[in-house]
Amino acid sequence: MPCERKPMRYGHSEGHTDVCFDDTGKYIVTCGSDGDVRIWESLDDDDPKSINVGEKAYSLALKNGKLVTAASNNTVQIHTFPEGDPDGILTRFTTNATHITYNSSGSRVAAGSSDFMVKVVEMYDSSQQKTLRGHTAPILSVTFDPKDEFLASASCDGSVAVWKIEEQTQVTSWPLLQKSNDVINAKSLCRLAWQPKAAKLLAVPVETTVQLYQRDSWAQVGTLSDDLGTQAINVVAWSPCGKFLAAGSIGGLLTVWDVESKLCVERQTHEKGYTVCGLAWHPSGGQIAYTDTEGCLGVLDGLSSSSSSSSTTTSSTMTKAPASYDDLFDDDDDRPLDEGISEGARSPAKNPGDEDDDDDLIPATGRARNRSAFLDDENSLDTGSLKQGLDKFVDDVGSAIVLPAAVAAPLRPVYDGPMPTPPQKAFQPGSTPAHLMHRFMMWNSVGIVRGYNDDQDNAIDVEFHDTAVHHAMHLTNSLGHTVADLSQEAVLLACPGTDELASKLQCLHFSSWDTNKEWMVDLPKGEDVQALCLGQGWAAAATSALMLRLFSIGGMQRELFSLPGPVVCIAGHGEQLLVVYHRGTGFDGEQALGVQLLQFGQKRRQVIHGEPLPLSRKSHLSWLGFTAEGTPCFIDSEGVVRLLNRSLGNMWTPVCNTRDNCKGKSDHYWVVGVHENPQQLRCIPCKGSRYPPTLPRPAVAVLPFKLPLCQTTTEKGQMEEQYWRSVLLHNHYGFLSSSGYEIDEEGQSQAQKEQQELLMKMFALSCKLEREFRSVELAELMTQNVVTLAIRYASRSGRMALAQRLSDLALEKANQLQGEEPQEEEEEPLQYTRRNTGYSQSSSEMGADRQHSSHRQAQEEEVDEEQGQEEHMDEGDVAESKRQGLNPFAKGTAASPEKPSPKPVSKEGRVNPFKVSSGLGRSGSAGGQNRVTNVLDSMMSSSKKPTALLSSSGSTGKLNKTPFLKPLAPRPKTKTQSTLLHMNAPKAANKKAAEEREPAVCRLKQTEAPPPASPAEDVENKKHKSGFQLWLEDNRRIILADNPDLEETDVIKEAIGRFRTLSADDRLTWTERAKGQSGDVADMKKRKRGEESRGDKNGQSEADETRQSEADETSAKKKKPLDTSTKLSAFAFNKN
Amino acid sequence: MDPSEVEFLAEKEVVKIIPNFSLDKIYLIGGDLGPFNPGLPVDVPVWLALNLKQRQKCRIVPPEWMDVEKLEEIRELERKEDTFTPVPSPYYMELTKLLLNHASDNIPKADEIRTLVKDIWDTRIAKLRLSADSFISQQEAHAKLDNLTLMEINTTRSFLLDTLNCMYKLRSNLQPGSKYISDVV
């Protein structure tokens, strides 16, 4: 029962229209009051062929390649079909003919005219006419008896008459209709219809019913009526099998009756309720085309299922199936197939108003094509429940695949599983469909290749956006090239092979410096070029033999390789080649595409190894290419633009949906280029179609990118989107620099600045929203400089806990930075420490280190040699302490007295497990400093030294993360207190400064006291260690030789003993050596200086902080919450 | 004021061009222009657009209103209304002239557009003359005309002022002693 009512489309100007199918059912032919006859290949034909037959066309009939039309110049003309050449005038009347019809064999034409006459004319000889006179008013309609004996006519005089043709006499007449004086005033067009084949019944639309009269007896044998039909029926038409009768009414109701049972089997309403004035069955019976008085054409599809009892109709639809299946992707089909499903399923109950209005007003709508082949399956799919198990699916999958090609009718009901999608045909990204007469063969960032294929000319125009590249070219397309590509160097063209000629690849290498600017290659017989592309210095062509052939741009044949499946399209850029092919059969409208990304040039490799291409649901690929910066990118038929995210394991990230920018439902954007910097999606807006016309020359529009992040209406969402978009779209810098291209440093730094600015804004926002945890998360993404700003911001807005955490973070980052530097600069002395960094690397560090990984690997071997020794050492007693320092798990040992507050500990546990050791490391080196300076100085330097020292010795920067750095800095004492106070007892913040000072001073003392005491031993060991270690390395063998039976620990004990016996000078030299190994002194000094300046800066910011915190306290007293607007962050930026 | 001066002013209007060359931003006193990317539309003043067009460096994208359907609508409205209707651009006449003279190959249906704009212009000038006529015949002291463009005012200014002056002289001679003061448009 369900049939699909396709959306109507505009065909003619307002007024009377008529429609018929050609004999094969391939074309729908319509005529209208604009005097044109249009030949539609399908309802979606955007470019129907038009034949002008006069000022107005009243009626048309088509058979045997002869199109007969009744035009306003009172003639009945013949045109050839489908060419549309005039083929003479069949007959003339004194006024216009109102209705014409063929007999079943096509040998005669009957025409009724407004001059009350009906003429029957022989097609082969128009002089043989029979005139039927008797009506006393304009004729409304005429119809032949299929047996050619009778003719029935209806007239405005209210009568329906049956004539015997040979004798030109009226056999019978019924006064059935309302009288009127002219056709336009008649209530109904009263299109009669004689039952085909059996020829038993004559259907006469009378008011809201259809009366059936029997042949010969001319008695009324039945009435077909529909309860819902409240308005007069205009036209009736028999199905080709003669079992069904369709009727269209003035109110736009379309009804189909089963004549035998007189039951209404199908009921549809015109989507606007316009008067249906033309109705025609497809010769196969599966489709009804209808037109209305507004000039629109509509199709009811999938009527076969409504007549499942009728084997004839079913089988006829079956035979039609392959054809429609094949051309599914022929051209503009862009509708996802699911629409067919959903529409089919809900059509009976569908409200006629719910279709988008613009659909039938726009002539060039890219609309769903004939999908009758699917309908049965889709419908059964809808109703078919889940009981169709997987095993059934497996059983039937074989038949499912062959289904479209050779369907056996009985198989149908058996298979209910998912249906295979017809594979998408190969296409050239940036081209419009090949069947168009004027088309773009390629539109890319270089230029435009246009193809003309009309009567006068078969030519190709090549035009460059930048005329500096080359002047425009005009080529005659004698070979019939169908695919093209264009680059800065060459134009590549290819034509499919014919029976005689092989498929050819032609290259116009216009940038060649010699005089031969062209080369051509014949492909092996039977191999057709299906897709091609140009890169820098190479050309590629994918062929029907599942092969990809590479050529140099000069014409030399290069590599060739097999593709895993039929190619869909290929794209090239620089040294990259992107191939998309069919991975397998998709089901239920999905395509199963795979993608490969290959890189030529220096390091040839496959970057993407045939992974599935993530398309939107039920869509196909519509564009594939690279951004101008060389990032692979593709667009599917749903308009979603996806970009390869190289930093995320070559995943595809959707960056834009062009359909979001469309105003109308049938508007599209035809993409011609993607740029990452500036962020532009260059495309051509196509109103009411999917492809742009070549004339008038379309203008390029620019769409912005927009990541489909959640809640982008909120400020937070917006900034997140901006940030991640910026990050994603600046990934190409990394790629470009890694593949050896020069990059726009300025642009990169600008992008970074923008990202940091966004982070700062987000930070300020989350501060405002009291989301401190989130703020820290954001700060982790910031660079060190920006973190200092964030700290300032946090402290000014009175979030001391946050500021504290951020300062930890800032230090960590600073150390990371420094940790990286020595790794680059000093290779030799780093071996030991590098190993440790390997253990302790955080993810971010890992990322930073990645670039050094290669040279590190090279050193790994060296390291290995020494590793053995080192490991021994690690087990040694002496090394124990050092290990504690570095061991992430040795938290307990590091619980130095400086940490009375549990908070930092827990946090450290989260942020950085090594953090604990920082106290140790720092105090250790501080102890070292004690030798030369006084306590206070050591405090000061301790904040700088340890980092310098440790990093210079190559130890992981993280170790130096000292949360107490600031408090220990001696200069701003009061400030220290407040920070401390916030840290230790945040609630105390409201206490008076004087009160604060005291405990703070106490604390300060506390912190001052322990360092020399507690880690003294460690310091000694540490200091020793490096020297001792070296010495041990040298002397281990000697010790072992002396005492071969010693345990490892004993060896070290022994070694310690021996080392102590060495003279002070000797020991000193060893220490010096150790120092030298861990970084030359000059370097160290330099770094120190850097540290100091940084420290000063810190000091300054701390000073600011104090002031701020004091202010905070007062403001807190006033209960005036500090405004944490983004202004502040902006201010902070400005200041920098 | 000279018509060429009005045209000069009109040349400051912005129009879209599609350049066929590549150039970074150019910094002019009037503002920054560009960057120019081949094939990508960019907004430039008319004078530059015409200059580039003459050197075959760009295609000009006609302004949105320079479209047969829209102009027909405007023409019909202009004919229907007694008063002046708003025009699509304050320099519609000058722009039409400039663009059609120099870039008619980039403008679809250039001839029709020329005719339509001329029609609109004629209708408006006729209205202007009519109102000047009634202004004088009714001896009004002042009149208010909305939606007039600079070029239209310019066409009638010198003549109307001279005429008024002349008439004033004549009238004051006819009625010696009377202080008839005619206001000047």
Side-chain angles (χ1 to χ4, degrees):
Chain A
M1 173 106 188
C3 81
E4 186 192 358
R5 194 196 66 198
K6 297 284 188 62
M8 300 207 60
R9 58 172 303 155
Y10 180 81
H12 295 273
S13 55
E14 274 177 44
H16 177 75
T17 51
D18 204 355
V19 63
C20 67
F21 279 95
D22 79 324
D23 299 336
T24 58
K26 204 177 160 200
Y27 300 102
I28 305 172
V29 187
T30 60
C31 72
S33 54
D34 50 5
D36 284 342
V37 171
R38 297 219 159 84
I39 303 167
W40 310 75
E41 283 188 43
S42 75
L43 192 59
D44 310 302
D45 191 348
D46 282 341
D47 188 23
K49 185 171 179 181
S50 275
I51 309 165
N52 192 279
V53 295
E55 271 179 34
K56 278 186 173 189
Y58 292 98
S59 180
L60 84 169
L62 172 62
K63 236 179 191 116
N64 301 339
K66 299 279 183 192
L67 176 72
V68 182
T69 50
S72 54
N73 55 359
N74 305 345
T75 59
V76 175
Q77 301 167 314
I78 312 174
H79 288 80
T80 58
F81 182 86
E83 298 81 19
D85 301 327
D87 198 17
I89 289 171
L90 192 65
T91 184
R92 288 176 197 275
F93 291 95
T94 51
T95 78
N96 63 287
T98 53
H99 190 212
I100 47 179
T101 182
Y102 267 106
N103 68 353
S104 55
S105 65
S107 59
R108 286 169 169 179
V109 170
S113 156
S114 295
D115 61 5
F116 311 174
M117 281 201 291
V118 177
K119 281 186 185 172
V120 179
V121 192
E122 298 290 328
M123 274 303 281
Y124 61 88
D125 182 5
S126 59
S127 62
Q128 292 206 20
Q129 300 191 349
K130 292 196 168 63
T131 314
L132 308 175
R133 294 169 205 269
H135 281 299
T136 55
I139 310 298
L140 284 170
S141 82
V142 288
T143 180
F144 268 109
D145 164 23
K147 293 182 176 165
D148 250 9
E149 197 178 339
F150 298 108
L151 182 141
S153 65
S155 163
C156 288
D157 60 12
S159 65
V160 174
V162 180
W163 311 76
K164 198 148 183 118
I165 300 168
E166 290 310 312
E167 294 156 24
Q168 302 179 34
T169 53
Q170 208 173 63
V171 178
T172 184
S173 169
W174 304 284
L176 294 171
L177 313 171
Q178 272 189 4
K179 288 186 182 178
S180 60
N181 59 0
D182 198 359
V183 177
I184 45 168
N185 298 324
K187 199 175 171 194
S188 154
L189 288 174
C190 193
R191 293 280 194 246
L192 310 168
W194 213 302
Q195 187 182 28
K197 299 209 171 98
K200 270 188 189 157
L201 298 169
L202 172 67
V204 182
V206 180
E207 298 289 316
T208 62
T209 63
V210 178
Q211 298 188 355
L212 300 172
Y213 290 87
Q214 198 166 27
R215 185 195 176 89
D216 296 328
S217 74
W218 310 120
Q220 187 186 347
V221 292
T223 305
L224 303 173
S225 63
D226 183 19
D227 302 337
L228 293 180
T230 53
Q231 285 187 292
I233 290 174
N234 227 2
V235 285
V236 293
W238 288 90
S239 71
C241 60
K243 290 191 161 55
F244 300 95
L245 184 74
S249 82
I250 289 175
L253 186 71
L254 294 159
T255 324
V256 180
W257 287 279
D258 183 339
V259 177
E260 224 161 282
S261 60
K262 297 196 169 54
L263 288 176
C264 170
V265 292
E266 183 59 64
R267 191 183 296 124
Q268 290 281 340
T269 31
H270 185 290
E271 56 188 36
K272 300 258 172 56
Y274 295 149
T275 303
V276 175
C277 58
L279 196 65
W281 281 82
H282 191 277
S284 71
Q287 210 178 34
I288 294 178
Y290 58 98
T291 55
D292 63 31
T293 51
E294 298 294 315
C296 294
L297 169 67
V299 164
L300 290 186
D301 211 342
L303 286 148
S304 54
S305 57
S306 67
S307 50
S308 53
S309 59
S310 154
S311 60
T312 48
T313 46
T314 313
S315 61
S316 62
T317 333
M318 293 302 108
T319 54
K320 197 167 67 72
S324 54
Y325 208 87
D326 274 347
D327 60 14
L328 195 87
F329 276 100
D330 232 349
D331 51 10
D332 337 355
D333 176 24
D334 49 300
R335 278 305 149 126
L337 295 166
D338 65 330
E339 221 172 82
I341 297 179
S342 56
E343 272 180 29
R346 67 196 161 106
S347 56
K350 193 153 75 171
N351 173 6
D354 66 4
E355 277 290 322
D356 200 342
D357 284 357
D358 59 4
D359 283 336
D360 50 358
L361 296 174
I362 291 152
T365 314
R367 272 281 157 198
R369 285 180 71 90
N370 174 352
R371 286 194 299 270
S372 60
F374 287 100
L375 279 168
D376 291 34
D377 315 306
E378 282 160 357
N379 289 324
S380 59
L381 230 178
D382 275 352
T383 49
S385 59
L386 295 166
K387 71 189 167 200
Q388 295 295 339
L390 193 66
D391 51 344
K392 178 139 194 182
F393 166 69
V394 172
D395 284 347
D396 284 341
V397 78
S399 63
I401 288 158
V402 299
L403 205 60
V407 184
L411 250 180
R412 288 228 142 185
V414 180
Y415 181 68
D416 254 0
M419 287 306 297
T421 320
Q424 179 179 5
K425 283 191 174 176
F427 71 101
Q428 205 58 14
S431 70
T432 53
H435 68 85
L436 299 174
M437 280 196 295
H438 293 207
R439 60 181 285 240
F440 291 111
M441 293 172 82
M442 174 56 63
W443 184 321
N444 60 20
S445 57
V446 178
I448 302 168
V449 182
R450 268 173 305 192
Y452 300 100
N453 185 14
D454 50 19
D455 302 336
Q456 307 109 31
D457 211 6
N458 190 353
I460 293 173
D461 264 350
V462 184
E463 194 185 312
F464 296 87
H465 294 314
D466 192 341
T467 43
V469 176
H470 197 260
H471 58 78
M473 290 187 267
H474 181 85
L475 324 160
T476 49
N477 190 7
S478 50
L479 288 169
H481 291 304
T482 53
V483 284
D485 197 8
L486 180 65
S487 78
Q488 306 272 0
E489 303 172 311
V491 185
L492 192 63
L493 300 157
C495 59
T498 58
D499 290 340
E500 304 94 51
L501 292 168
S503 176
K504 279 188 175 62
L505 192 71
Q506 187 181 10
C507 180
L508 309 176
H509 183 209
F510 55 76
S511 71
S512 159
W513 45 262
D514 67 2
T515 47
N516 252 334
K517 307 265 184 205
E518 191 179 329
W519 53 269
M520 203 181 284
V521 168
D522 276 12
L523 261 63
K525 197 86 184 147
E527 197 175 328
D528 279 351
V529 175
Q530 292 194 310
L532 44 79
C533 70
L534 282 166
Q536 203 174 5
W538 52 269
T543 68
S544 55
L546 301 191
M547 255 198 297
L548 201 133
R549 297 173 178 275
L550 277 177
F551 299 86
S552 77
I553 200 69
M556 180 183 68
Q557 299 199 44
R558 279 175 55 182
E559 297 89 336
L560 86 168
F561 55 89
S562 284
L563 292 172
V567 71
V568 176
C569 54
I570 58 178
H573 180 279
E575 286 165 344
Q576 301 176 85
L577 171 66
L578 192 61
V579 186
V580 171
Y581 55 88
H582 287 289
R583 213 163 29 91
T585 308
F587 284 92
D588 289 340
E590 316 265 358
Q591 297 285 340
L593 304 181
V595 60
Q596 288 187 340
L597 178 62
L598 296 117
Q599 197 157 0
F600 308 132
Q602 298 292 312
K603 35 181 182 181
R604 300 172 174 224
R605 61 199 180 100
Q606 194 170 9
V607 183
I608 301 179
H609 314 267
E611 269 119 60
L613 193 69
L615 294 168
S616 304
R617 296 276 302 166
K618 317 240 178 209
S619 67
H620 54 265
L621 189 65
S622 60
W623 191 85
L624 178 81
F626 290 87
T627 64
E629 287 76 13
T631 310
C633 177
F634 75 91
I635 298 160
D636 60 33
S637 56
E638 294 290 282
V640 181
V641 183
R642 288 187 179 82
L643 207 65
L644 188 75
N645 192 346
R646 293 191 202 262
S647 66
L648 196 69
N650 288 339
M651 289 306 193
W652 297 90
T653 307
V655 291
C656 181
N657 189 345
T658 59
R659 296 305 299 273
D660 289 348
N661 297 293
C662 292
K663 287 189 193 83
K665 194 175 148 195
S666 46
D667 292 355
H668 292 272
Y669 280 98
W670 192 66
V671 176
V672 296
V674 184
H675 288 241
E676 286 177 85
N677 187 27
Q679 297 177 10
Q680 285 179 338
L681 187 68
R682 296 184 183 172
C683 44
I684 296 168
C686 306
K687 207 166 170 163
S689 69
R690 179 157 274 258
Y691 302 107
T694 51
L695 283 172
R697 201 189 157 103
V700 178
V702 169
L703 291 184
F705 290 120
K706 186 167 187 278
L707 295 190
L709 249 55
C710 307
Q711 290 181 319
T712 43
T713 47
T714 64
E715 201 182 349
K716 172 176 167 283
Q718 256 168 25
M719 286 194 285
E720 283 164 350
E721 194 268 334
Q722 273 179 33
Y723 174 72
W724 286 111
R725 176 154 47 89
S726 174
V727 169
L728 177 68
L729 292 174
H730 290 100
N731 270 340
H732 64 268
Y733 286 122
F735 164 72
L736 288 177
S737 59
S738 73
S739 47
Y741 292 99
E742 60 183 40
I743 55 168
D744 175 15
E745 302 273 356
E746 196 183 323
Q748 190 174 18
S749 60
Q750 204 164 2
Q752 260 164 10
K753 197 182 154 208
E754 180 202 332
Q755 283 162 23
Q756 294 301 327
E757 224 161 292
L758 278 167
L759 279 175
M760 196 62 212
K761 278 184 194 162
M762 287 196 272
F763 175 83
L765 185 71
S766 55
C767 275
K768 199 156 73 178
L769 298 172
E770 309 277 330
R771 297 273 182 188
E772 300 201 354
F773 190 91
R774 195 185 289 158
S775 306
V776 176
E777 282 176 333
L778 285 165
E780 276 166 20
L781 295 169
M782 296 176 184
T783 58
Q784 203 223 340
N785 295 346
V786 184
V787 174
T788 29
L789 290 172
I791 295 169
R792 209 185 295 169
Y793 179 82
S795 52
R796 280 188 195 178
S797 50
R799 294 169 203 283
M800 285 312 162
L802 179 62
Q804 188 57 53
R805 274 163 205 276
L806 289 176
S807 69
D808 297 349
L809 194 70
L811 271 173
E812 192 180 322
K813 280 182 186 287
N815 293 335
Q816 258 174 42
L817 269 178
Q818 288 196 332
E820 283 164 25
E821 276 170 31
Q823 275 177 19
E824 282 176 84
E825 291 162 8
E826 306 148 25
E827 303 192 348
E828 285 296 336
L830 283 182
Q831 289 152 2
Y832 178 75
T833 49
R834 194 174 295 122
R835 208 155 57 87
N836 284 315
T837 40
Y839 297 160
S840 57
Q841 262 168 353
S842 75
S843 60
S844 59
E845 210 179 359
M846 205 86 99
D849 279 351
R850 199 173 297 150
Q851 57 200 82
H852 314 299
S853 63
S854 59
H855 97 216
R856 183 187 301 176
Q857 260 171 6
Q859 289 192 345
E860 210 75 61
E861 289 156 29
E862 281 177 61
V863 177
D864 277 346
E865 290 169 21
E866 289 163 53
Q867 229 165 22
Q869 296 174 351
E870 281 171 5
E871 264 159 35
H872 286 299
M873 260 246 320
D874 282 353
E875 285 158 39
D877 284 346
V878 190
E880 189 64 47
S881 58
K882 180 205 79 189
R883 250 177 55 185
Q884 281 172 359
L886 298 169
N887 191 343
F889 307 107
K891 212 188 252 179
T893 55
S896 65
E898 291 128 306
K899 297 185 184 157
S901 147
K903 225 204 296 176
V905 176
S906 68
K907 182 208 158 199
E908 281 156 21
R910 180 183 63 81
V911 173
N912 178 8
F914 312 102
K915 178 71 174 303
V916 254
S917 64
S918 61
L920 229 166
R922 181 193 54 75
S923 54
S925 38
Q929 289 293 324
N930 278 350
R931 287 177 187 162
V932 278
T933 53
N934 63 36
V935 178
L936 211 69
D937 275 358
S938 82
M939 290 309 206
M940 198 165 170
S941 52
S942 72
S943 63
K944 304 152 197 170
K945 256 296 154 43
T947 46
L949 242 170
L950 277 175
S951 57
S952 70
S953 72
S955 134
T956 57
K958 284 187 175 180
L959 297 183
N960 294 342
K961 213 175 89 178
T962 51
F964 313 98
L965 242 172
K966 248 190 273 173
L968 278 175
R971 194 162 48 131
K973 264 193 182 172
T974 44
K975 147 215 83 195
T976 344
Q977 300 156 359
S978 63
T979 348
L980 267 172
L981 236 113
H982 275 284
M983 191 181 74
N984 298 327
K987 281 178 189 171
N990 288 344
K991 287 181 186 172
K992 284 174 188 172
E995 280 177 72
E996 288 169 9
R997 202 159 290 153
E998 221 160 348
V1001 169
C1002 293
R1003 277 206 40 63
L1004 212 73
K1005 275 177 190 163
Q1006 255 184 357
T1007 51
E1008 277 169 24
S1014 80
E1017 210 181 334
D1018 286 346
V1019 169
E1020 205 61 16
N1021 286 343
K1022 258 205 156 169
K1023 218 37 197 171
H1024 253 156
K1025 177 194 59 194
S1026 358
F1028 168 71
Q1029 175 196 335
L1030 286 170
W1031 179 84
L1032 181 68
E1033 275 167 24
D1034 280 6
N1035 293 287
R1036 175 184 290 266
R1037 209 171 303 154
I1038 303 165
I1039 295 170
L1040 276 175
D1042 289 352
N1043 310 290
D1045 52 344
L1046 277 182
E1047 293 285 325
E1048 188 57 42
T1049 46
D1050 292 332
V1051 170
I1052 287 161
K1053 271 180 191 165
E1054 173 74 16
I1056 293 171
R1058 290 192 186 196
F1059 189 69
R1060 284 203 174 124
T1061 59
L1062 287 174
S1063 71
D1065 282 351
D1066 279 355
R1067 263 187 273 174
L1068 207 72
T1069 43
W1070 279 111
T1071 324
E1072 277 306 315
R1073 269 179 69 178
K1075 268 188 191 169
Q1077 201 164 6
S1078 56
D1080 63 340
V1081 184
D1083 205 35
M1084 208 159 85
K1085 273 181 188 163
K1086 217 199 299 181
R1087 206 161 292 125
K1088 261 191 238 167
R1089 227 174 290 130
E1091 257 313 295
E1092 266 157 15
S1093 61
R1094 188 165 300 154
D1096 287 348
K1097 215 170 164 190
N1098 272 354
Q1100 209 173 344
S1101 68
E1102 279 162 27
D1104 284 351
E1105 217 170 286
T1106 0
R1107 255 179 273 132
Q1108 184 59 43
S1109 60
E1110 278 165 6
D1112 283 351
E1113 279 157 30
T1114 51
S1115 67
K1117 275 178 208 161
K1118 286 177 201 162
K1119 306 240 166 191
K1120 249 189 210 163
L1122 213 80
D1123 181 30
T1124 60
S1125 72
T1126 47
K1127 264 187 214 163
L1128 248 174
S1129 73
F1131 161 70
F1133 265 99
N1134 288 340
K1135 221 175 175 186
N1136 223 26
Chain B
M1 205 176 188
D2 215 76
S4 59
E5 287 173 276
V6 183
E7 193 179 89
F8 176 77
L9 291 177
E11 283 183 351
K12 273 194 189 136
E13 287 290 287
V14 168
V15 72
K16 251 193 185 49
I17 61 161
I18 298 173
N20 59 16
F21 61 95
S22 182
L23 189 71
D24 247 352
K25 255 191 178 172
I26 50 174
Y27 303 96
L28 304 177
I29 297 174
D32 303 347
L33 298 176
F36 298 90
N37 291 310
L40 204 65
V42 62
D43 282 328
V44 295
V46 171
W47 59 265
L48 182 63
L50 294 179
N51 184 291
L52 291 172
K53 175 71 197 170
Q54 279 170 339
R55 291 190 285 157
Q56 300 192 327
K57 290 280 185 196
C58 74
R59 283 190 302 123
I60 294 180
V61 181
E64 221 157 84
W65 54 266
M66 209 175 273
D67 171 74
V68 172
E69 270 178 43
K70 281 188 181 133
L71 288 174
E72 266 170 358
E73 245 170 63
I74 291 167
R75 183 184 62 178
E76 293 320 310
L77 192 69
E78 189 67 56
R79 284 180 176 170
K80 217 165 64 187
E81 298 279 325
D82 287 335
T83 54
F84 293 95
T85 55
V87 282
S89 156
Y91 299 102
Y92 73 100
M93 192 63 195
E94 300 90 307
L95 288 181
T96 314
K97 216 156 188 119
L98 286 170
L99 295 184
L100 288 180
N101 282 349
H102 294 102
S104 55
D105 52 332
N106 294 151
I107 298 168
K109 299 187 182 170
D111 291 339
E112 279 180 60
I113 286 170
R114 201 191 296 268
T115 320
L116 280 168
V117 172
K118 184 80 174 119
D119 281 354
I120 295 169
W121 169 264
D122 287 347
T123 317
R124 291 171 69 87
I125 293 298
K127 275 185 197 175
L128 187 61
R129 288 197 188 121
L130 216 67
S131 58
D133 180 49
S134 64
F135 173 73
I136 289 168
S137 61
Q138 288 168 27
Q139 303 201 353
E140 296 287 348
H142 52 82
K144 184 185 165 194
L145 298 174
D146 287 339
N147 296 326
L148 268 182
T149 65
L150 194 55
M151 189 62 119
E152 285 158 352
I153 295 169
N154 203 39
T155 52
T156 191
R157 181 193 284 120
S158 55
F159 176 69
L160 183 64
L161 294 187
D162 289 349
T163 319
L164 288 175
N165 278 336
C166 203
M167 278 168 43
Y168 171 66
K169 271 182 208 157
L170 292 171
R171 282 200 182 112
S172 42
N173 284 345
L174 267 178
Q175 300 166 303
S178 77
K179 297 276 174 181
Y180 183 78
I181 295 161
S182 118
D183 208 345
V184 170
V185 175

